[in-house]
Amino acid sequence: MKNNLIFRILTLALFLGLITLETFAQGTGKIVGKVTDKKTGETLIGLNVKIVGQTKGASTDVEGRYVISGLAAGKYSVQFSYVGYATKTISDVAVSAGVVTTLNTLMEEGGSNQLKAVVVTVTAKQESVSGLYAQQKNSAVISDGMSADVIKKSPDRNTGEVLKRVSGASVQDNRFIIVRGLSDRYNSAMINNTPLPSSEPDRKTFSFDAIPSNLIDNVIISKTATPDLPGDFSGGAVQVKTKDFPDNKTLTVNYGVGYNSISTFQPFYGRQRSVLESFGFASSSRNLPSGFPQSLERYTNLPAATKASLSNQFNNTWGVGDQGTAIPTQNLQVVFGNSYISKNNNKLGFILSTTYRTGATVSNEIRNDYNEVNWSTRTSAPLFEYSDKYYNFSSNLGVLANLAYSFKGSKLALKTLYNKSFEDSYLNRYGAYDNRTEFRRVSQQEAVDKSLINTVLEGDHLVSSKSKSKVNWNLSFSRLTNDQPDLKRLFYSKLASDMDNPSVPFTAAVPLVATASTSGRFYSDLGENVLGGSFNYTLPFKLADESQVLKIGVLKQFKDREVNARVLGYINNSSDQSLLTLPQDELFSSRNIGPDKFYIEDITNPDNQYTGSGDLNSAYFMLNNSFKQNLKIAWGLRVENYIEKLNSRTNAGKVQVDNNYLDFLPSLNATYSLNDKTNVRLSYSNTVARAQFRELAPFSFYDFITGNVKIGNVNLKRTRINNYDTRFEYYPSAGQVISVSAFYKRLNNPIESIVTIGSSAASKGMTYTNAPKADVYGLEFEIRHSLGFINENSNLLKNLTFNANTAFMKSQVNFEDILTVETNRPLQGQSPYLINTGLQYSSAKSGWQGSLLYNRIGRRLSVVGFGKVENGMFEADYPDIYEAPRNILDLQIAKRILRQRGEVKLNVSNIFDSDNVYYQDLDKDKQYSTGDQLINSIQFGRTFSLSVGYSF
């Protein structure tokens, strides 16, 4: 395969770059950090920082950051002073030549007891666990998160894997987040304070695996709303902050290779790929031929001879070839950054990262489906029973570029994230169909070409040095594409009665009338643009000698989406039925294309394209009030006006959606500090959840894998949600926390997926509807604690940290007016419990690190079934499909080498070799057992990966 050559080229380019890189050795070190108010968590601007006994010093910028450079190796005392605050001196701050020492500080107002000098011997980086939990403790909202320091100690390679470690969160398909049992439609995603567009065409979610984990500064999930957060979430607002410019010149190179127990070095089949596709860019050869008519109207009335001629413009790419063996997964990342400080303390910095990932996987699946259930025997006749083998090649190219300039009381930053990915998969399926009366050999070839660019220009400015008021603004642009070029479907069949007769061949299903389900080609392209801007003003002030903060702001976001699809199918006009016995690489060759043989018909429906726009305008005011040193209340109102429009067509004519919503979203978050280590929180908020374009559009799509047809509903309305939360949290010491949370949510008009009326088990249509209401209840527990308390003299136990977070949830959605759906059932995608636990070891002296992490989710509703009500009781004709729990255990061992500049990591994922299982619970015992019907099982295998990194 081409990937070995690609990596040789990349490696050569990397070493040529290293040869030309200016090598430097610094004889001095520097101290950097961030200063915040201990009580409010607000950054302190213009605070004086100086080295005791020297003239060297600095002032904090608009983000509360400072840099003191040119320090000889040794130990120093650093003094922090600010008007109205107690002066703090930190001694024994160690500085080494060529090393950045990070010293973050909390300042306390001087109106009460003055602080004594604080002596520390070990300092924590800004992204450390201690800093994150201090932020969490002082936050106005109930939140959970992970810092870069914790992330790098886990085997997680991207943000999607990181998020499943956060309390109350789980992840579907390693990418899509579920918070507090609520699916992605009830969550929102932000990167660098800017809302992210959905990366998928049919759901409100962002594919978090696009962001490498080692470029994350921190990930915070806000579980309660405040007026300055977007109002369209109820489970959680995921806020990803990428790393800012570095504190000094840095060049880091990481290379990793992975082995999967069921994929690597196994025979690999699929279509030949171009070099560009190995770098994430789909080849133009997959596109619809340029000479093919651009619309159904221009094609459908053409004579058969012309259609045959146009059909010959398509490349015969139906054949599937031996592509060798599945190579190990590989990833290469290069990060380069630098910062410059002028004499007047202005700072310019940048960070540039390029990440390349590629891999080939082979997975085995069982895929079944069944007719309606006979409950007297608890059995049903099988529709199909397939054994699937997936061959999937993926490549991903990511670039992150951040540029920042800090001057006087201002900071400007330009942050760009670009991600390009390509997936090429081949499905080889074999099995019985229609109650085992027929056997089929099925082939599907699918390519998905995605891109995302997100650019943010933001500014922070100190308005008044006296009042410490400041403004923050940003302008953003995002462009997302999701294209499926030339999805091909074909199957061959043979009657069960002929299976023992070798003279009867399998025959291709090329029908007399074209259909979307077989012998077809599908092309689609999706493009979405998002333009946004926000402006926020913050004013600290005093009331009754207590610190208060007023914050007001506005936000504008406009997005537009265009989706176009072509659905094409081959028809059989030949009297020579022996053509149907040809192998698939010869079946549609040019010699078999003709008006009296095979040719393409255009079966695109009017609803296979739509355009949509969403115009969001919002404004808010927010007050952070402090009372008597121990009570803080963050409250206010957010007003959002959302105008959504959608235009499409059906066979009946035009379809238009024009909804205009004005929502008043109040929120209140109260925090009472029992002491410096303990908080009690109460929260109320009103939020919304809006339908996505795909859920509104009458776009119909045949899912070849499941045999279902999906279609939107133009009558969907947005969901309004009332949220109630309480939390008790205890922080024994830096980086440690014990917390208990409870929450309740009432959802009015929740959007749920259902089976369309008139469906049967053999022919299911899926759509969306508003249920009248739903309720969600839950409890969360979290603990993170060093094991040093067991034996304070044991260095081993001091270096061990135990962490666990669990959540228990119950939801009930009510369908009062839909008789084909069970009246009361859990929300789709909701798990009754989540368990994340782990043991981490870290020794700065030896350079060894390790972690053992365990994750489990309770069974959750995957696909909603249908049935009927008889004698006041609901009886399922086609029972719901549930995803069974999985036990996942991951291990990482890491060692710093080469004078702490290098690091070697060994990761082992899915140690239990746990499979994914989807089933119908016929015996109703709420677990997968022998009496149930298996719908789908997916094997993942164990993954072993080794990575080596070095910082120059």
Side-chain angles (χ1 to χ4, degrees), residues 134 261 498 557 616 737:
S261 60
D498 294 327
Q557 185 185 72
L616 175 64
V737 63

Side-chain angles (χ1 to χ4, degrees), residues 474-546:
N474 69 60
L475 298 171
S476 64
F477 170 75
S478 297
R479 167 71 178 172
L480 181 139
T481 64
N482 188 314
D483 300 335
Q484 283 184 289
D486 201 12
L487 166 64
K488 295 188 288 290
R489 302 156 169 164
L490 179 67
F491 72 82
Y492 289 73
S493 63
K494 184 176 179 178
L495 293 176
S497 57
D498 294 327
M499 288 302 295
D500 294 331
N501 187 351
S503 65
V504 179
F506 279 82
T507 58
V510 186
L512 298 176
V513 178
T515 68
S517 60
T518 183
S519 304
R521 309 180 87 137
F522 176 84
Y523 297 81
S524 73
D525 57 87
L526 178 153
E528 181 170 310
N529 299 310
V530 183
L531 292 167
S534 68
F535 181 88
N536 304 283
Y537 173 75
T538 303
L539 175 65
F541 64 97
K542 289 279 190 175
L543 181 65
D545 204 31
E546 294 288 343

Side-chain angles (χ1 to χ4, degrees), residues 373-673:
V373 174
N374 182 341
W375 286 106
S376 62
T377 61
R378 292 187 184 271
T379 60
S380 57
L383 286 170
F384 56 76
E385 299 166 291
Y386 292 139
S387 295
D388 292 354
K389 197 148 198 169
Y390 281 90
Y391 302 88
N392 187 77
F393 169 83
S394 63
S395 58
N396 183 287
L397 180 66
V399 177
L400 182 143
N402 290 350
L403 176 67
Y405 180 57
S406 178
F407 58 101
K408 296 182 180 178
S410 297
K411 178 189 173 185
L412 297 174
L414 179 65
K415 299 182 178 182
T416 300
L417 172 71
Y418 175 74
N419 189 268
K420 191 73 177 69
S421 66
F422 174 77
E423 290 189 17
D424 186 18
S425 64
Y426 162 55
L427 164 63
N428 183 12
R429 168 179 283 180
Y430 177 78
Y433 181 77
D434 193 15
N435 199 15
R436 301 171 187 155
T437 61
E438 180 182 303
F439 281 80
R440 290 184 173 183
R441 291 174 176 168
V442 182
S443 168
Q444 175 173 286
Q445 300 176 59
E446 180 180 13
V448 179
D449 183 32
K450 295 181 183 179
S451 70
L452 168 70
I453 184 168
N454 173 260
T455 299
V456 181
L457 175 64
E458 63 180 5
D460 293 275
H461 308 277
L462 178 65
V463 176
S464 169
S465 58
K466 182 178 180 180
S467 66
K468 306 303 179 185
S469 60
K470 57 185 178 180
V471 298
N472 163 268
W473 58 270
N474 69 60
L475 298 171
S476 64
F477 170 75
S478 297
R479 167 71 178 172
L480 181 139
T481 64
N482 188 314
D483 300 335
Q484 283 184 289
D486 201 12
L487 166 64
K488 295 188 288 290
R489 302 156 169 164
L490 179 67
F491 72 82
Y492 289 73
S493 63
K494 184 176 179 178
L495 293 176
S497 57
D498 294 327
M499 288 302 295
D500 294 331
N501 187 351
S503 65
V504 179
F506 279 82
T507 58
V510 186
L512 298 176
V513 178
T515 68
S517 60
T518 183
S519 304
R521 309 180 87 137
F522 176 84
Y523 297 81
S524 73
D525 57 87
L526 178 153
E528 181 170 310
N529 299 310
V530 183
L531 292 167
S534 68
F535 181 88
N536 304 283
Y537 173 75
T538 303
L539 175 65
F541 64 97
K542 289 279 190 175
L543 181 65
D545 204 31
E546 294 288 343
S547 296
Q548 322 291 332
V549 178
L550 169 67
K551 192 172 183 180
I552 58 175
V554 294
L555 177 141
K556 169 78 173 183
Q557 185 185 72
F558 180 81
K559 60 182 177 181
D560 66 271
R561 172 183 288 193
E562 182 175 2
V563 175
N564 293 285
R566 295 295 292 276
V567 186
L568 310 175
Y570 286 87
I571 66 168
N572 180 11
N573 248 8
S574 175
S575 58
D576 182 6
Q577 297 304 301
S578 66
L579 291 178
L580 298 176
T581 65
L582 292 172
Q584 67 182 58
D585 60 336
E586 299 179 21
L587 186 66
F588 298 120
S589 64
S590 58
R591 67 176 180 271
N592 296 325
I593 301 297
D596 58 348
K597 295 182 180 179
F598 303 134
Y599 64 85
I600 286 175
E601 285 285 9
D602 192 337
I603 52 176
T604 305
N605 290 322
D607 58 24
N608 286 138
Q609 48 270 322
Y610 67 87
T611 60
S613 65
D615 188 2
L616 175 64
N617 301 277
S618 64
Y620 73 90
F621 82 88
M622 175 179 171
L623 277 168
N624 283 332
N625 296 132
S626 299
F627 303 94
K628 296 183 179 179
Q629 298 293 319
N630 52 10
L631 176 63
K632 294 186 291 187
I633 299 177
W635 62 279
L637 176 69
R638 186 179 186 89
V639 180
E640 293 193 346
N641 174 230
Y642 185 69
I643 303 170
E644 62 184 4
K645 295 183 178 182
L646 185 135
N647 295 285
S648 185
R649 297 184 66 89
T650 65
N651 291 324
K654 289 184 178 180
V655 174
Q656 291 184 320
V657 174
D658 191 351
N659 293 324
N660 191 329
Y661 299 111
L662 180 64
D663 292 305
F664 293 85
L665 308 174
S667 62
L668 183 147
N669 291 267
T671 304
Y672 185 80
S673 298

Side-chain angles (χ1 to χ4, degrees), residues 190-207:
M190 303 176 69
I191 184 168
N192 298 320
N193 301 316
T194 302
L196 275 169
S198 176
S199 60
E200 303 301 310
D202 57 353
R203 58 197 301 181
K204 178 199 170 186
T205 190
F206 179 73
S207 184

Side-chain angles (χ1 to χ4, degrees), residues 120-389:
V120 295
T121 56
V122 179
T123 60
K125 294 183 179 180
Q126 188 269 335
E127 70 270 24
S128 69
V129 178
S130 302
L132 180 73
Y133 279 97
Q135 178 183 348
Q136 182 176 326
K137 178 178 180 292
N138 293 318
S139 173
V141 302
I142 295 176
S143 65
D144 290 288
M146 292 185 72
S147 69
D149 190 58
V150 174
I151 292 168
K152 70 181 182 182
K153 296 175 185 176
S154 75
D156 304 326
R157 293 166 295 176
N158 57 66
T159 313
E161 296 175 347
V162 169
L163 287 169
K164 68 186 179 184
R165 314 287 183 192
V166 178
S167 178
S170 63
V171 175
Q172 284 182 325
D173 302 328
N174 225 23
R175 296 183 291 174
F176 309 123
I177 188 168
I178 291 177
V179 181
R180 289 180 158 181
L182 294 172
S183 62
D184 41 50
R185 78 168 64 257
Y186 299 108
N187 304 310
S188 65
M190 303 176 69
I191 184 168
N192 298 320
N193 301 316
T194 302
L196 275 169
S198 176
S199 60
E200 303 301 310
D202 57 353
R203 58 197 301 181
K204 178 199 170 186
T205 190
F206 179 73
S207 184
F208 284 100
D209 64 341
I211 306 175
S213 60
N214 62 348
L215 292 182
I216 301 171
D217 184 72
N218 59 63
V219 177
I220 299 291
I221 300 181
S222 297
K223 299 178 180 178
T224 60
T226 53
D228 58 342
L229 287 175
D232 60 339
F233 79 93
S234 179
V238 182
Q239 301 168 80
V240 179
K241 184 179 180 183
T242 58
K243 290 185 177 180
D244 217 331
F245 51 76
D247 296 311
N248 62 352
K249 190 173 185 178
T250 180
L251 172 64
T252 302
V253 180
N254 287 280
Y255 173 75
V257 61
Y259 170 86
N260 181 269
S261 60
I262 64 174
S263 294
T264 308
F265 303 128
Q266 295 300 308
F268 193 85
Y269 295 88
R271 173 179 169 174
Q272 187 71 29
R273 289 177 298 277
S274 69
V275 173
L276 279 178
E277 289 176 339
S278 295
F279 285 96
F281 296 85
S283 170
S284 59
S285 65
R286 297 178 183 267
N287 295 340
L288 200 68
S290 58
F292 196 80
Q294 296 301 304
S295 66
L296 168 70
E297 293 76 15
R298 295 182 180 181
Y299 185 84
T300 190
N301 294 321
L302 295 174
T306 305
K307 291 180 179 179
S309 177
L310 291 169
S311 299
N312 254 325
Q313 293 186 9
F314 289 81
N315 295 324
N316 180 22
T317 55
W318 288 87
V320 175
D322 184 352
Q323 302 300 316
T325 60
I327 63 169
T329 59
Q330 299 178 79
N331 60 83
L332 175 66
Q333 183 184 64
V334 180
V335 181
F336 178 65
N338 204 353
S339 58
Y340 309 89
I341 302 175
S342 66
K343 293 181 179 180
N344 55 5
N345 211 31
N346 294 347
K347 185 177 181 181
L348 174 68
F350 70 91
I351 183 169
L352 176 66
S353 168
T354 302
T355 305
Y356 173 66
R357 302 197 309 265
T358 187
T361 60
V362 181
S363 62
N364 301 309
E365 294 191 21
I366 295 174
R367 175 76 66 172
N368 304 323
D369 206 357
Y370 299 86
N371 273 300
E372 286 80 359
V373 174
N374 182 341
W375 286 106
S376 62
T377 61
R378 292 187 184 271
T379 60
S380 57
L383 286 170
F384 56 76
E385 299 166 291
Y386 292 139
S387 295
D388 292 354
K389 197 148 198 169

Side-chain angles (χ1 to χ4, degrees), residues 785-800:
H785 206 289
S786 167
L787 299 185
F789 72 94
I790 298 175
N791 183 349
E792 295 183 356
N793 297 320
S794 170
N795 289 327
L796 173 65
L797 292 176
K798 286 180 180 179
N799 293 330
L800 279 173

Side-chain angles (χ1 to χ4, degrees), residues 757-768:
I757 295 175
S759 292
S760 65
S763 178
K764 295 184 287 293
M766 309 297 295
T767 189
Y768 307 90

